Amino acid sequence: MQRLTTVSELQAYHRQQPVVRDSRAESDRSVGFVPTMGNLHPGHLSLIRKARQQNDTVIVSIFVNPLQFGPNEDFHQYPRTLDLDCQQCENEGVNAVFAPNPEDMGIIERSDPLSDGRSPSQTTIVPPPQMTEILCGRSRPGHFEGVATIVVKLLNLVQPDRAYFGQKDAQQLAIIRRIVRDLNLPVEIIGCPIVREPSGLAYSSRNQYLSEDEKAKATVLFRSLSRAKSLFQAGKRDRAALFDAVKRELATVPELRLDYVELVDPDSLVPLASVRRQGLLALAARLGNTRSIDNVLLQPIDRKPIVAIDGPAGAGKSTIARQIAQKLGLMYLDTGAMYRAVTWWMQRENINIEDEAAVAGALRQCQLDLQADPETAQCRVWVNEREVTREIRSPEVTAFVSTISALPQVRQFLVEQQKRYGNRGGLVAEGRDMGTCVFPNAEVKIFLTASVEERARRRKRDLEEQGYEIDLEQLEREIAERDRKDSTRSISPLQKALDAIEIQTDNLTIPEAIEKILALVPV
Ligand code: PAF
């Protein structure tokens, strides 16, 4: 990875790159750009990963932009962790980090701003005032002009094909999209979903200003927005009802000082009296000296939601997933049954699994169908129109299913099938990579986990009920080893989606865990 600290180094870097700018060509070497102010957290990493997936070259800029800080804001305090950031970028496969200093960028600190907050000594990009004078713009005059100016400068310098911004700064994202459109800048702006801590708190570099107690209290922001979102999904569309839901929840933390709660069109940022097509419900609030922002997009879902539950073995995933499906009247996508059905088919067709062509041929001939029994949420399974729900539970299938599941062709075949079910929506699926790989657009992503000790205790209890006696420490070792294997295996490794909500079940009963998940599902 290259570390570029001046504009001329960036320009020299460009000259070394064999960039072909024909987006239709297969050989297109596209450049993805992630502008940041450093102090990278999982929110930034999700942007970098998206850029990595979609481009040949990824450039990250790290620049604490003086133009976007007001005179009484935290420019000097803002966390600067360049070496650590570069290390993270290197780990993520970034090709170059551009970390210039303000003088080299030709930026003068906004020490003596005009009355409207703009810098007097700098050419400034001025976005449409109706987009900058509401939401955060009210209490941060000049902020978005500062953002717009630096982003346009960076886009000119880096000349990316795509640039990545987080939905967390929804107003910034809307303004940048607008500038790119109005000025015909040749770049595609990609907005990426908010990434949250397990508590629901959106990641932000400014979270480190919060004490542990304030951090716990700040989770009320997302809770309040989620309440409004659930109301919205239940049919309430008007501003007053949605604000009321937000404010009631916020009132449970009296120390919190609300700066604003607003409902706007996510593209134009025009305030909405009610949501017809889509709405952005955004808020800003202070705890102590720290100002935090958060938002949710409100869109009538035209399909039922997908709930993707991942987590290590023994965390209670399948019991919980089944019950959630039953309670919500969604399909429990029994991926285990799918692997069993393919195993049954391979056995029936007598396929030599060492012969890749034979496996591929058998998969081509295998038409799977799953239907959920609405009463029990159990899956009934058909292979080529023959119901095999009972047969796939036979000891022969059980003995062979893990061998079949380990075949990359089978895995690829079934992931495609699972994605097809996902297109219809309305399902609950559990596994190891449901939220990351199979259903990356799931409405709800849960990472259900429990400590090794707790999972060993649960397993011991289960075994004792079946009449087996087993040493707890041995079970702990086995579970830790299984975790290690699950997270490092090449096929379908256990991964927590960056935007998944982690639920730790050590001190939760199954009904309590279910209740927590149900509260997150838009109904
Ligand atoms: O979102 C940020 O970190 C900044 O506003 C940006 C886009 C890097 C401009 O300084």
Side-chain angles (χ1 to χ4, degrees):
M1 188 188 78
Q2 300 231 20
R3 213 161 140 163
L4 314 165
T5 51
T6 62
V7 170
S8 41
E9 278 175 17
L10 176 69
Q11 284 159 347
Y13 175 79
H14 272 318
R15 282 195 296 275
Q16 292 159 17
Q17 300 302 305
V19 178
V20 180
R21 294 206 177 275
D22 177 356
S23 58
R24 287 155 303 164
E26 288 257 289
S27 61
D28 177 24
R29 293 195 53 81
S30 58
V31 176
F33 174 46
V34 184
T36 79
M37 298 208 298
N39 194 242
L40 304 185
H41 53 64
H44 295 114
L45 299 187
S46 75
L47 307 181
I48 294 174
R49 285 179 195 167
K50 187 88 188 170
R52 186 63 289 166
Q53 277 166 13
Q54 296 186 331
N55 302 279
D56 300 289
T57 300
V58 175
I59 301 181
V60 172
S61 69
I62 297 180
F63 180 66
V64 185
N65 168 31
L67 294 178
Q68 67 189 77
F69 289 81
N72 300 320
E73 292 187 352
D74 56 343
F75 174 64
H76 294 289
Q77 234 181 308
Y78 198 85
R80 288 160 172 87
T81 49
L82 186 59
D83 287 339
L84 211 67
D85 294 342
C86 287
Q87 192 51 56
Q88 297 205 69
C89 286
E90 177 125 45
N91 297 345
E92 295 296 332
V94 168
N95 300 82
V97 166
F98 175 50
N101 59 41
E103 298 80 60
D104 194 60
M105 281 292 279
I107 297 265
I108 300 124
E109 207 172 309
R110 225 182 58 172
S111 53
D112 187 17
L114 300 174
S115 57
D116 64 359
R118 275 180 283 138
S119 171
S121 43
Q122 163 91 42
T123 302
T124 303
I125 301 285
V126 182
Q130 71 271 22
M131 297 185 85
T132 58
E133 286 173 0
I134 51 162
L135 304 165
C136 289
R138 283 217 177 104
S139 53
R140 303 191 72 189
H143 168 72
F144 290 109
E145 287 78 1
V147 170
T149 304
I150 198 69
V151 168
V152 170
K153 272 174 87 75
L154 287 167
L155 291 175
N156 277 334
L157 287 167
V158 177
Q159 300 199 10
D161 299 272
R162 304 184 184 90
Y164 297 78
F165 295 86
Q167 175 65 33
K168 158 102 188 317
D169 296 301
Q171 185 172 14
Q172 166 174 289
L173 177 60
I175 290 173
I176 290 167
R177 283 193 201 282
R178 180 66 189 267
I179 294 170
V180 164
R181 211 170 60 226
D182 287 353
L183 301 183
N184 302 93
L185 301 181
V187 61
E188 185 185 354
I189 301 297
I190 313 274
C192 299
I194 299 180
V195 181
R196 300 183 179 280
E197 295 194 12
S199 63
L201 182 65
Y203 278 104
S204 159
S205 300
R206 291 189 168 102
N207 285 355
Q208 56 194 271
Y209 301 154
L210 296 166
S211 68
E212 279 311 307
D213 178 52
E214 286 170 340
K215 243 181 130 178
K217 290 189 167 129
T219 59
V220 75
L221 301 184
F222 181 54
R223 266 203 314 284
S224 70
L225 293 168
S226 305
R227 290 263 177 275
K229 188 166 177 174
S230 303
L231 264 187
F232 174 81
Q233 298 298 2
K236 285 261 178 285
R237 298 287 146 92
D238 65 294
R239 177 185 183 86
L242 298 170
F243 284 11
D244 186 53
V246 170
K247 286 182 180 166
R248 267 172 201 264
E249 190 63 37
L250 292 179
T252 61
V253 177
E255 299 88 330
L256 188 120
R257 300 186 314 281
L258 183 63
D259 183 350
Y260 68 79
V261 52
E262 224 352 317
L263 179 67
V264 295
D265 178 279
D267 299 322
S268 65
L269 303 180
V270 168
L272 299 175
S274 75
V275 184
R276 254 190 291 145
R277 199 173 54 85
Q278 54 175 356
L280 173 77
L281 185 61
L283 55 74
R286 281 176 195 277
L287 266 168
N289 294 327
T290 311
R291 183 173 180 279
S292 304
I293 57 172
D294 203 347
N295 68 75
V296 285
L297 269 175
L298 303 177
Q299 272 167 319
I301 37 177
D302 47 12
R303 59 167 207 195
K304 289 188 180 170
I306 293 180
V307 182
I309 305 180
D310 291 304
K317 288 184 311 245
S318 62
T319 316
I320 288 175
R322 270 176 213 282
Q323 293 195 30
I324 289 192
Q326 207 171 354
K327 281 183 193 298
L328 295 175
L330 303 178
M331 174 185 194
Y332 170 64
L333 185 70
D334 190 343
T335 51
M338 295 173 99
Y339 283 98
R340 282 175 171 276
V342 169
T343 306
W344 175 86
W345 176 245
M346 296 281 182
Q347 286 178 328
R348 199 193 112 116
E349 296 295 292
N350 237 335
I351 300 299
N352 171 9
I353 61 163
E354 317 257 285
D355 180 346
E356 283 188 16
V359 172
L363 291 173
R364 271 197 303 278
Q365 300 300 318
C366 178
Q367 202 199 321
L368 266 185
D369 192 18
L370 267 72
Q371 278 175 30
D373 181 325
E375 293 288 290
T376 60
Q378 301 288 348
C379 261
R380 292 175 65 192
V381 185
W382 285 260
V383 173
N384 298 336
E385 302 196 351
R386 167 173 167 177
E387 179 160 9
V388 293
T389 310
R390 281 170 63 87
E391 284 152 289
I392 63 169
R393 305 279 161 197
S394 71
E396 295 77 38
V397 170
T398 303
F400 209 45
V401 64
S402 60
T403 312
I404 293 287
S405 310
L407 298 175
Q409 284 164 291
V410 172
R411 153 121 190 108
Q412 196 185 350
F413 170 75
L414 285 180
V415 166
E416 272 163 29
Q417 305 272 328
Q418 290 158 14
K419 287 186 175 191
R420 271 223 291 280
Y421 281 98
N423 291 339
R424 300 183 213 155
L427 60 84
V428 182
E430 49 92 6
R432 294 184 181 81
D433 59 353
M434 292 294 141
T436 46
C437 164
V438 186
F439 303 118
N441 297 323
E443 282 73 14
V444 180
K445 293 184 191 174
I446 303 292
F447 192 79
L448 198 70
T449 185
S451 66
V452 170
E453 295 73 23
E454 175 59 20
R455 284 182 283 144
R457 276 193 292 276
R458 290 178 192 168
R459 182 92 186 107
K460 186 170 163 61
R461 263 199 312 271
D462 288 350
L463 289 168
E464 278 170 359
E465 277 166 20
Q466 295 166 37
Y468 299 105
E469 219 12 89
I470 189 153
D471 177 48
L472 189 63
E473 281 180 15
Q474 183 190 334
L475 275 176
E476 285 177 6
R477 278 195 299 278
E478 282 172 13
I479 289 176
E481 178 56 14
R482 169 110 193 242
D483 283 358
R484 193 191 62 74
K485 281 197 179 141
D486 279 352
S487 323
T488 52
R489 63 194 213 174
S490 58
I491 297 178
S492 172
L494 170 64
Q495 276 184 326
K496 179 180 164 195
L498 283 167
D499 52 346
I501 304 274
E502 183 171 315
I503 298 189
Q504 229 284 353
T505 62
D506 275 28
N507 297 314
L508 294 181
T509 60
I510 288 194
E512 283 167 346
I514 289 176
E515 200 183 320
K516 270 185 178 271
I517 297 174
L518 288 177
L520 298 166
V521 182
V523 284

